[in-house]
Amino acid sequence: MTRNYYVNGNTVRELETPVRREGRSREELEQIRRRKHRRSAARRNRQRELQMSRGYVAFLTVCVLMTAFSSVMLVQMQAQMTSRMRSVASLESQVIDLKADNDARYKNLTTSVDLNHIKEVATKKLGMSYPKEKQVVYYTVENSNFMDQYSDIPKQ
């Protein structure tokens, strides 16, 4: 086989010349025909695979709709959760503020009460006196925090 070259500028390039084949045998022609048939069958199969049936399209549509619905519901639930967490945090801060206010008022009340002044007013102005030993009656309490009175307390 001879190669033909030509010069274009300062490079030499090979000419693309078709190679002639001499007569082909029947077997070669049959193989070529089979290859062409396989190629066309493969092409038809590829085209058939690219086409979608109505059932498949309906199935994919249902899948896409279910996925979209699930995504929307997930986002909505996350938004609700965030909103509820904010409201809980707000309520917790209100409880903390109310407890602090309550503690401050209790402390103010306990420090503003002068027990000596109350004792003085009770004994001098109201005429109260301390109980004598015979006036004190002791009761026993049975495992409860309260007591019911069914009759009058006896006088001694």
Side-chain angles (χ1 to χ4, degrees):
M1 177 155 83
T2 62
R3 294 187 183 253
N4 296 327
Y5 296 97
Y6 70 94
V7 176
N8 184 5
N10 63 351
T11 60
V12 176
R13 299 191 181 185
E14 183 176 342
L15 289 176
E16 294 180 19
T17 56
V19 178
R20 291 188 181 186
R21 295 185 184 161
E22 297 172 8
R24 296 181 179 160
S25 68
R26 281 187 175 223
E27 293 175 0
E28 287 179 14
L29 292 174
E30 185 65 27
Q31 284 179 354
I32 292 171
R33 190 182 62 76
R34 281 187 210 146
R35 281 188 209 139
K36 284 183 182 179
H37 181 68
R38 271 189 258 146
R39 285 181 192 150
S40 64
R43 190 177 325 117
R44 279 186 305 226
N45 287 341
R46 274 189 237 118
Q47 288 175 352
R48 213 176 302 135
E49 287 175 0
L50 291 176
Q51 295 175 352
M52 292 188 229
S53 66
R54 288 185 181 184
Y56 187 64
V57 170
F59 171 74
L60 287 178
T61 304
V62 169
C63 289
V64 167
L65 290 176
M66 286 176 56
T67 303
F69 180 73
S70 299
S71 300
V72 167
M73 291 303 293
L74 178 68
V75 169
Q76 186 178 13
M77 287 180 6
Q78 285 178 341
Q80 287 177 352
M81 181 66 101
T82 303
S83 170
R84 288 181 182 161
M85 287 175 65
R86 285 183 184 155
S87 67
V88 166
S90 172
L91 291 174
E92 284 177 347
S93 68
Q94 287 177 1
V95 166
I96 290 170
D97 291 344
L98 289 174
K99 280 185 179 181
D101 188 37
N102 195 17
D103 290 343
R105 288 183 184 200
Y106 178 75
K107 192 170 189 176
N108 189 14
L109 281 175
T110 56
T111 57
S112 69
V113 174
D114 185 13
L115 294 178
N116 290 330
H117 177 69
I118 292 174
K119 179 180 170 184
E120 188 178 318
V121 169
T123 55
K124 291 184 179 171
K125 289 186 179 178
L126 299 176
M128 296 178 84
S129 64
Y130 285 102
K132 298 196 178 14
E133 215 176 287
K134 293 180 182 178
Q135 292 175 331
V136 177
V137 178
Y138 293 99
Y139 289 94
T140 58
V141 180
E142 300 172 5
N143 296 333
S144 65
N145 293 336
F146 63 93
M147 176 171 41
D148 292 332
Q149 182 177 347
Y150 296 111
S151 64
D152 290 334
I153 299 173
K155 295 183 179 180
Q156 292 182 352

